[in-house]
Amino acid sequence: MSGTTPLYTATSNPVPPGDSLTDLLQRLSSKTSIDFHLYKTGYLQRQIRRQPTKHRLRSCREYCDLIESGNRTPRNLINDLTIHVTRFFRDPEVFEFLQEQVFPPLWARHWSFQNREFRIWIVGCSTGEEAYSVALSLLESVRPNLSIHPIRIFATDVDEIVIEQARKGEYSPDALAHLPPAIRKRYFVPGKAGRIVPEVRKRIIFGRHDLLQGASINHLDLIFCRNVLIFLTSEAQEQIYRKFYEDLDPGGILVLGKAESPPASFRRKKLLTLSRKNRVYQKKG
């Protein structure tokens, strides 16, 4: 690091304050092509504080040296600073609401007006459980004929390491233990590894995507973005809400995390609230 103010002391493990943190974020952003200045400072400080323990280092100073040495690749640095807490059908009441109240009318509306594939975007998909959960909920809800009703699910994350895991579609017995036997039987290949059946797997396109800088995905029927925006500044959130609104077709659905909500003025003008409890909104029009 340049400058005369040390980022860390040799005898402690602090997070760099003020300009030192700004300098570190600038270097991380240049190495990863992600603008970390648009993430909340407290979140980044917590993630940086965890790195010495994760990498068996004595201090954050050593982690800083590790970054400067070039021994951490851009994708490793991204993995260091992102959170991936996920499981199949996390917050089951959300999926119950989608399956019973959202998917049937959304599916009927789509096929009455559109002669194209039904399109879903899963933002921050992590290791894939969320994307597969949405897919299975849709299939259980509307029972489509996949030969004549094309479905495409775009599942993205900024972390390429977890995307590689998601593409495999294989999960441990522990990850599937809480699923109903009927779901496991219908949608997972029998065997030691819990592998998603090919009919479901091929409907999902997994890819690395930076929500703040990446291209839009247009003509969407549903955007599922839970517990991603809470880590971003309010300015970044407003930018993404506008992006989501433009990407959704009229009548399309936006699902957020339980701690997330569009600004009140934006919500009143642009969205219908289908479930405040489950953070489910519909684009007006």
Side-chain angles (χ1 to χ4, degrees):
M1 288 289 183
S2 61
T4 58
T5 303
L7 282 176
Y8 314 99
T9 65
T11 58
S12 62
N13 188 24
V15 174
D19 292 339
S20 298
L21 177 61
T22 301
D23 190 21
L24 175 57
L25 295 182
Q26 183 63 43
R27 291 177 180 269
L28 285 168
S29 297
S30 66
K31 288 178 179 291
T32 61
S33 299
I34 294 175
D35 190 353
F36 283 108
H37 298 91
L38 296 176
Y39 287 74
K40 290 180 179 177
T41 300
Y43 161 71
L44 291 170
Q45 288 177 330
R46 289 191 296 273
Q47 292 305 100
I48 293 169
R49 190 179 291 118
R50 293 186 177 106
Q51 300 315 308
T53 301
K54 178 179 178 180
H55 299 292
R56 298 182 179 179
L57 304 173
R58 289 176 296 179
S59 68
C60 283
R61 172 71 262 177
E62 290 191 358
Y63 180 65
C64 181
D65 292 340
L66 187 64
I67 293 172
E68 290 302 297
S69 71
N71 290 329
R72 298 296 288 163
T73 65
R75 66 185 231 150
N76 291 141
L77 292 174
I78 292 170
N79 186 257
D80 285 346
L81 297 182
T82 50
I83 293 176
H84 303 288
V85 178
T86 187
R87 69 196 296 260
F88 283 101
F89 299 102
R90 185 161 57 116
D91 300 322
E93 65 275 10
V94 174
F95 291 95
E96 291 171 7
F97 183 80
L98 290 177
Q99 192 167 323
E100 296 173 4
Q101 304 295 327
V102 173
F103 281 139
L106 184 65
W107 183 261
R109 177 188 177 96
H110 172 85
W111 290 112
S112 65
F113 288 102
Q114 304 285 348
N115 186 24
R116 59 159 180 79
E117 63 188 9
F118 189 87
R119 292 159 68 91
I120 296 174
W121 183 14
I122 313 296
V123 183
C125 68
S126 187
T127 48
E129 289 93 332
E130 198 116 280
Y132 293 120
S133 296
V134 173
L136 301 190
S137 292
L138 175 64
L139 296 175
E140 287 291 293
S141 176
V142 302
R143 305 284 183 176
N145 182 337
L146 294 178
S147 63
I148 61 174
H149 293 144
I151 296 169
R152 183 67 61 202
I153 298 175
F154 304 91
T156 63
D157 199 286
V158 72
D159 186 345
E160 190 174 359
I161 291 176
V162 295
I163 284 292
E164 290 177 356
Q165 298 177 45
R167 287 194 182 107
K168 295 177 182 178
E170 295 182 359
Y171 299 93
S172 69
D174 288 343
L176 308 183
H178 68 286
L179 296 180
I183 293 294
R184 294 201 301 268
K185 182 177 181 180
R186 273 197 291 271
Y187 299 113
F188 290 86
V189 177
K192 189 173 183 180
R195 179 180 297 176
I196 296 287
V197 295
E199 291 80 4
V200 174
R201 173 62 190 87
K202 68 183 181 181
R203 307 289 165 184
I204 305 176
I205 299 175
F206 288 100
R208 184 186 177 278
H209 182 274
D210 183 352
L211 183 59
L212 294 165
Q213 302 181 59
S216 295
I217 302 176
N218 298 318
H219 295 298
L220 292 164
D221 296 283
L222 183 143
I223 296 175
F224 198 89
C225 179
R226 297 200 302 167
N227 306 319
V228 174
L229 303 185
I230 55 174
F231 302 119
L232 303 176
T233 64
S234 57
E235 293 80 8
Q237 290 182 28
E238 290 177 7
Q239 172 188 335
I240 291 168
Y241 283 127
R242 290 195 296 270
K243 178 199 287 276
F244 285 168
Y245 180 80
E246 294 170 357
D247 292 345
L248 283 170
D249 271 359
I253 301 296
L254 172 63
V255 183
L256 301 173
K258 289 191 173 182
E260 298 165 328
S261 179
S265 59
F266 181 91
R267 192 169 61 247
R268 285 194 300 267
K269 294 178 182 178
K270 307 289 188 180
L271 303 170
L272 297 172
T273 301
L274 299 187
S275 173
R276 177 180 293 181
K277 175 185 176 183
N278 295 306
R279 295 296 196 269
V280 181
Y281 307 91
Q282 185 172 41
K283 178 176 177 176
K284 292 182 178 180

